[in-house]
Amino acid sequence: ECGGRFHTDFGSITYPETDDLYPNEVRCNWVVIVSSKATIELKFTSLNTENSHDVVEIRDGDSNSSPGLGSYSGDSLPPSMRTTTNKAFVHFSSDSSTQLKGFTLTWNSIGKH
């Protein structure tokens, strides 16, 4: 069980939510929505996925078809990123091998509240 919708101006997504390793063949979607006139700054505080196979995708909007901000895997923390809208879409997918610790991604609204 993973994914969800958040309607808060700051928060975090940790997957998996326990100290367990994430499962194989998982597909998770999260949508973050902040105040209507704000944008979102997103930052990984941890990333530990199978490089090039288990991927966290971030999109600028509320769906899988929104413009991409980046796809991330491995264990190097990418720089923070910013949306141009008040919505962000986060998708995580894993393949059929190698389970690792997953990720934590935080967000803050920037601008008008």
Side-chain angles (χ1 to χ4, degrees), residues 6-62:
F6 299 96
H7 293 269
T8 60
D9 285 338
F10 60 91
S12 66
I13 297 166
T14 298
Y15 186 75
E17 293 179 5
T18 64
D19 284 337
D20 296 332
L21 305 179
Y22 58 77
N24 291 330
E25 302 288 344
V26 71
R27 305 283 177 273
C28 309
N29 295 315
W30 294 268
V31 176
V32 174
I33 301 172
V34 300
S35 301
S36 64
K37 295 192 179 351
T39 60
I40 306 170
E41 182 179 50
L42 300 122
K43 182 178 182 177
F44 282 93
T45 57
S46 68
L47 180 64
N48 184 12
T49 67
E50 184 184 12
N51 199 26
S52 302
H53 296 283
D54 300 343
V55 178
V56 183
E57 274 184 85
I58 315 262
R59 296 192 171 270
D60 188 357
D62 62 357

Side-chain angles (χ1 to χ4, degrees), residues 60-79:
D60 188 357
D62 62 357
S63 77
N64 208 28
S65 60
S66 299
L69 289 176
S71 294
Y72 306 99
S73 64
D75 58 11
S76 295
L77 293 179

